Amino acid sequence: MASQWRRDNDDGPADRSPHFFKIILQNAVQEGKLRIPDKFVQKFGVDLSDMAFLTIPNGRKWKVKLAQHAGGVWFQNGWSEFASSHGVAVGHLLVFKYERNSQFHVLIFDATATEIDYTLDDEQHVHHRIEDDESDDSSVEIIKHFYRGEGSGSAHPKKDGGVAKNLVIANAFKSENPLFTVTMRPSYINGKDRASLPQHIINYLPRDGFTKDYTKASILPVKLQIVDRLWPVKLYIYERSGGSSCVVSAGWSAFVRENSLQVGDVCVFELIMRDGVVLNVHIFKCQD
């Protein structure tokens, strides 16, 4: 992987290609498009055509049409297909490395800050096709003129709500205890008394203390802690053919409500074994 992010000459300097990253927020999922950072387009917009090419580490390349509107430049036609094919969801982080001529290499990290598996399938190297006649030079000129300051609009950086900063801080948090990072999604906040935790938390849980219920889940009572206050909840472990999953429920909604959690907030769960299982929760708030 590291070799992909260096120049072809292994003896040469580290890769100086420009990069930017995007945290996937709810509006990007709902609208089916992703805004390129304005500062990036100001610097490199003259090099962009109206068709971008996104390449992931398994070598598969995707065509995504660029569109200029609402004071910015967006990945648009073809973006939804790219995102859905790789399970891109709220809280995911994407790193874009720009190789000039509208060519981007893309790394995708899930809500636990872990790089995804780029599964190869029968469609490997089959591109998402947008007919060439949809491409025209006028859209290229719009992008160029706009970011040369020749248009009537002005570029305003779009706030990401602090999610990116939260993830950076969360990933920098260190402890001798196991840590599990979760970005709050709408389904974790809006009335549903449950949230998914990273699967590998199961490896750190005790083997005893579990019960079973009618769903055939294994249930373990635990406590969520902030400072000196505790919230009783239950962990539900589900064993399926595709692997295990872990859900916190039965008290989760009260924890969300009483700590005013919102979509985009980042929680780091620190596993502490003390008179049962305690998850010490460190919350990094998403600022408007």
Side-chain angles (χ1 to χ4, degrees):
M1 179 67 68
S3 62
Q4 298 181 23
W5 295 85
R6 297 182 63 87
R7 296 186 186 278
D8 292 339
N9 181 1
D10 290 339
D11 297 327
D15 191 346
R16 300 295 183 182
S17 299
H19 297 70
F20 65 85
F21 69 88
K22 295 289 293 185
I23 302 294
I24 302 302
L25 303 179
Q26 186 64 29
N27 62 333
V29 176
Q30 293 175 338
E31 298 172 6
K33 60 185 180 182
L34 186 70
R35 184 169 180 154
I36 299 175
D38 292 334
K39 186 174 181 179
F40 176 88
V41 182
Q42 288 169 357
K43 293 179 65 174
F44 303 103
V46 294
D47 187 47
L48 294 174
S49 68
D50 64 339
M51 190 69 69
F53 300 86
L54 309 182
T55 302
I56 59 176
N58 66 11
R60 189 176 180 187
K61 183 179 289 188
W62 296 72
K63 285 184 177 181
V64 178
K65 191 174 179 66
L66 296 181
Q68 187 266 311
H69 60 86
V73 177
W74 306 71
F75 293 117
Q76 190 155 312
N77 292 4
W79 173 256
S80 291
E81 291 80 0
F82 173 84
S84 62
S85 293
H86 302 99
V88 175
V90 173
H92 284 203
L93 181 149
L94 278 64
V95 179
F96 294 81
K97 173 188 174 185
Y98 187 48
E99 296 285 10
R100 307 290 178 174
N101 300 318
S102 298
Q103 305 275 347
F104 296 86
H105 285 270
V106 186
L107 296 181
I108 304 171
F109 298 83
D110 65 21
T112 70
T114 303
E115 190 172 5
I116 69 168
D117 291 327
Y118 305 95
T119 304
L120 296 173
D121 55 30
D122 293 338
E123 294 181 347
Q124 181 181 7
H125 301 305
V126 177
H127 306 174
H128 172 70
R129 301 190 180 279
I130 299 176
E131 296 300 329
D132 291 339
D133 58 9
E134 290 186 12
S135 174
D136 60 73
D137 291 338
S138 61
S139 59
V140 180
E141 292 304 311
I142 290 173
I143 294 174
K144 290 181 179 180
H145 288 312
F146 181 81
Y147 284 97
R148 285 172 176 166
E150 299 172 12
S152 59
S154 61
H156 298 282
K158 184 175 182 180
K159 297 180 180 179
D160 65 7
V163 181
K165 181 179 179 181
N166 289 349
L167 281 172
V168 170
I169 297 173
N171 290 332
F173 184 83
K174 303 297 182 183
S175 172
E176 295 180 354
N177 299 311
L179 300 173
F180 312 95
T181 302
V182 178
T183 302
M184 294 299 103
R185 304 181 182 184
S187 61
Y188 298 172
I189 301 295
N190 299 328
K192 294 185 178 180
D193 188 27
R194 58 186 289 139
S196 296
L197 297 182
Q199 179 183 10
H200 61 283
I201 192 176
I202 299 171
N203 300 329
Y204 298 90
L205 297 175
R207 295 183 179 274
D208 55 356
F210 283 90
T211 60
K212 291 278 189 179
D213 75 350
Y214 68 95
T215 67
K216 298 183 179 181
S218 298
I219 306 170
L220 180 68
V222 303
K223 293 181 175 65
L224 304 181
Q225 174 178 297
I226 295 181
V227 191
D228 58 354
R229 185 172 177 188
L230 297 170
W231 286 263
V233 296
K234 292 180 180 179
L235 295 186
Y236 289 74
I237 310 298
Y238 297 94
E239 302 287 347
R240 298 187 174 92
S241 57
S244 302
S245 62
C246 180
V247 173
V248 56
S249 187
W252 171 253
S253 59
F255 178 81
V256 167
R257 181 177 61 255
E258 293 173 24
N259 290 284
S260 302
L261 288 179
Q262 298 179 0
V263 174
D265 289 350
V266 179
C267 293
V268 176
F269 295 85
E270 180 183 9
L271 181 60
I272 300 172
M273 305 300 293
R274 186 179 61 221
D275 297 328
V277 177
V278 175
L279 289 168
N280 195 22
V281 186
H282 308 270
I283 300 175
F284 301 92
K285 300 294 290 183
C286 180
Q287 302 298 325
D288 295 329

